[in-house]
Amino acid sequence: MTLRLPLMAATMAITLGAVALGSMAIPARAAVEPMELVGPVSEYKIYVSEKLQKLVADTKAFTDAVKAGDIDKAKTLFGPTRMSYEAVEPVAELFSDLDASIDSRADDYEQGEADPTFPGFHRLEYGLWAKNSTEGLAPIADKLMADVNELNKRIAELTFPPDKVVGGAAALMEEVAATKISGEEDRYSHTDLFDFQANFEGSRKIFELFRPLVEKDDPAFVKKVADNFQTLDTTLSKYKKGDGFELYDKLTDEDRKVLAGAVNTLAEDLSQLRGKLGLN
């Protein structure tokens, strides 16, 4: 179901609590008026809600396949299912307990993959690819489904801080640059490019929503960022394969270098976005 709020209702909801404008720290010389942020943040909350609805549905299909012992189907669904989570990761990470339960990696646990407390997508990924088995994964699949449902519930009730929303555009690209470009995220399945595409789309959505507020004062900056988004889009498109992407371990060192360069450039530009809006 797609969420669409009437403009007046959305504005009232956000003004009264969905966005904490009243408590937001706005510098004396803010680039924009606080009320100018209401519309973009409202639209972003709708975007996040839609992504979470898809995440719930896709996670159900994925975990059902795991529990049914259908390894091939579960493997096919893994990358696409994670995309909805990766697109809205800056918001999801506001709930650190759920983010850890849903998306942590083996490195976060004392015994690594053998640690009985290692949960979530990457524990299932390890079982499906490294072990080529669904044995013992049913409880982990059930917990993942419960965590995704809980995340959906919490975010539906969440006040969206404008500075966190705007900062999410850079955060998505910075995480790719800092840790994901090495291939450590989806180290067993090598479906990293699904994550990259989702991070890219989530970042671009934020930029496009707030773009008009920046463009009126700094069109050159906006054009530069838009051009860099296009460069990264073109780069990622080279690795599309059918409805998905090439496995990340098939990329050459030169491929990864070019991709890293595009990601780093975009992350550096987007790190200025909050300041352009007076939200630092």
Side-chain angles (χ1 to χ4, degrees), residues 63-76:
T63 55
D64 281 351
V66 171
K67 292 191 294 182
D70 193 337
I71 295 175
D72 290 340
K73 183 177 181 179
K75 286 182 175 180
T76 299

Side-chain angles (χ1 to χ4, degrees), residues 1-4 45-60 81 84-85 88 145 148-149 151-153 155-156:
M1 178 179 71
T2 300
L3 297 179
R4 291 293 175 205
K45 186 163 188 177
I46 292 170
Y47 170 78
V48 171
S49 296
E50 291 171 346
K51 287 294 183 185
L52 286 173
Q53 289 174 36
K54 181 166 175 55
L55 177 65
V56 168
D58 290 352
T59 303
K60 178 69 164 58
T81 297
S84 295
Y85 187 84
V88 300
M145 188 71 248
V148 166
N149 280 323
L151 180 67
N152 187 33
K153 177 184 175 182
I155 290 181

Side-chain angles (χ1 to χ4, degrees), residues 73-136:
K73 183 177 181 179
K75 286 182 175 180
T76 299
L77 294 176
F78 178 78
T81 297
R82 284 179 45 76
M83 290 185 75
S84 295
Y85 187 84
E86 291 290 330
V88 300
E89 196 167 19
V91 177
E93 287 179 343
L94 294 176
F95 301 102
S96 58
D97 59 328
L98 290 177
D99 181 56
S101 188
I102 291 170
D103 200 39
S104 58
R105 306 171 195 173
D107 305 342
D108 300 321
Y109 299 88
E110 186 176 350
Q111 300 175 51
E113 288 88 351
D115 199 307
T117 63
F118 175 32
F121 275 118
H122 295 302
R123 174 63 183 88
L124 296 176
E125 178 196 9
Y126 172 70
L128 291 169
W129 272 272
K131 297 293 187 182
N132 198 38
S133 171
T134 60
E135 184 179 355

